[in-house]
Amino acid sequence: MSDLALSAAYDQIVAARTSPETRPCVRSFFDETTFTATHVVHDPRTRAAAIIDSVMNYDPASGRTSFHSAEQVVAYVRHEQLNVIWQLETHAHADHLSAAPWLKQQLGGRIGIGSDIVQVQQTFGAIFNAEPSFTRDGTQFDHLFTDGETFKLGDLPAIALHVPGHTPADMAFIIGDAAFIGDTLFMPDYGTARADFPGGSARTLYHSIRRLLSLPPQTRLFLCHDYKAPGRDQFAWETTVAAERENNIHVHDGISEDAFVSMRTARDATLSLPNLIMPSVQVNMRAGHLPAPENNGISYIKIPVNTL
């Protein structure tokens, strides 16, 4: 989608957003174990809702899963009498497991992700030597969004934007004046996401970030993670385009592409892999489902040795 087409589409989406009746309501749930913010966004008139970047709890020592984080989302949705239309994933996360299938069972909603998930499935399907039945065509998901695809959440117009760099398949979902941007940007005092996973690119990430920062200054940005920057005592996951453009320590206005790439590349070289990358990617590339049970009825998480 060209920047001109993006501007025209976005203008249509936000044309009526000044009224409380047309401004989406957002309630966020923060999982401190994985530092993940799950967002529930809904149309205040129709009560149509989307759940974005949900968390299935996983104990790496025992291999046991649970849903106490997602249960908070269920309680809120039922209390507010919301009608869940979408279970959205901004990308195949490497730091937490998705609860989308479980939430779909509880509340409904189609599981959606960007169409470039097929690249992630190809790459990690090979790395984990996935079972022959594991297809690499995105059919585990209910819908694959393309760049610039428009949709509605009740009466609220929305658009999906491809914002790769952290991974090849990252998407941002803009619903009214709210943009759910996954792992592209963090709070201004913390910076930006890493770009050293397979298929990632610091240069591509820079262009994706500048694309997001071309949205109107007052656009609300909802982030997928927060790690509390030094000197800040509270977790935070909501900011604005204006705040990021002025204050983001990695990519504020005036930071060149080459300077960003140099900084991001050097910083990424010092980072260890996320604690839950092995289970997370294997589950999330399957749309939140565990790997197929083996002949004893048990699902297994693989750990490739000396590979990642």
Side-chain angles (χ1 to χ4, degrees):
M1 187 181 217
S2 70
D3 289 342
L4 183 61
L6 167 61
S7 178
Y10 191 79
D11 286 346
Q12 292 178 7
I13 286 173
V14 301
R17 69 181 180 176
T18 55
S19 167
E21 291 76 19
T22 58
R23 192 171 191 252
C25 299
V26 182
R27 172 73 159 85
S28 301
F29 298 83
F30 194 73
D31 177 66
E32 289 196 28
T33 301
T34 61
F35 306 101
T36 302
T38 296
H39 308 292
V40 181
V41 54
H42 77 267
D43 173 7
R45 195 190 73 80
T46 68
R47 316 302 287 175
I51 299 170
I52 303 173
D53 292 335
S54 59
V55 175
M56 174 169 67
N57 306 106
Y58 177 79
D59 176 18
S62 66
R64 292 194 174 275
T65 61
S66 63
F67 295 97
H68 56 265
S69 291
E71 285 168 353
Q72 299 176 54
V73 175
V74 172
Y76 169 76
V77 167
R78 289 177 173 163
H79 180 267
E80 295 296 318
Q81 298 182 318
L82 305 181
N83 176 25
V84 176
I85 307 299
W86 289 105
Q87 304 281 349
L88 298 177
E89 301 288 350
T90 56
H91 62 294
H93 310 274
D95 40 28
H96 71 273
L97 287 68
S98 170
W102 185 83
L103 284 167
K104 180 179 177 179
Q105 286 184 334
Q106 304 299 312
L107 301 170
R110 303 171 69 198
I111 302 175
I113 200 168
S115 60
D116 286 276
I117 186 63
V118 297
Q119 293 187 41
V120 176
Q121 290 178 328
Q122 291 284 354
T123 299
F124 283 97
I127 288 173
F128 291 112
N129 195 29
E131 67 278 7
S133 62
F134 173 64
T135 58
R136 293 153 168 85
D137 57 4
T139 53
Q140 298 86 350
F141 298 83
D142 297 316
H143 185 76
L144 302 182
F145 286 93
T146 57
D147 184 39
E149 182 177 345
T150 57
F151 60 106
K152 280 198 168 187
L153 187 66
D155 291 338
L156 298 176
I159 187 170
L161 298 182
H162 187 212
V163 286
H166 174 61
T167 79
D170 284 67
M171 298 294 287
F173 298 100
I174 304 171
I175 303 170
D177 75 330
F180 302 88
I181 63 173
D183 288 11
T184 49
L185 288 163
F186 297 136
M187 292 299 290
D189 58 0
Y190 201 87
T192 57
R194 67 193 298 166
D196 60 333
F197 293 146
S201 164
R203 199 167 297 278
T204 300
L205 179 61
Y206 180 86
H207 288 285
S208 293
I209 290 171
R210 295 315 305 179
R211 187 183 202 197
L212 289 170
L213 297 184
S214 72
L215 298 173
Q218 67 272 33
T219 303
R220 294 182 288 165
L221 302 180
F222 291 89
L223 319 177
C224 188
H225 296 288
D226 185 56
Y227 304 96
K228 287 198 294 193
R232 175 157 54 85
D233 295 329
Q234 300 295 321
F235 290 109
W237 48 80
E238 180 182 351
T239 180
T240 65
V241 166
E244 293 284 2
R245 291 187 64 163
E246 183 175 356
N247 298 314
N248 188 286
I249 60 172
H250 293 167
V251 71
H252 59 75
D253 285 356
I255 298 293
S256 71
E257 178 179 340
D258 286 343
F260 174 80
V261 170
S262 178
M263 177 282 302
R264 189 69 265 170
T265 302
R267 183 175 173 83
D268 288 350
T270 69
L271 300 177
S272 58
L273 288 175
N275 290 336
L276 295 182
I277 186 171
M278 297 300 180
S280 294
V281 175
Q282 290 177 74
V283 167
N284 295 336
M285 71 182 185
R286 295 174 167 88
H289 295 283
L290 296 174
E294 298 193 6
N295 56 11
N296 60 356
I298 298 174
S299 294
Y300 289 87
I301 297 295
K302 294 181 178 180
I303 300 179
V305 178
N306 300 324
T307 300
L308 293 176

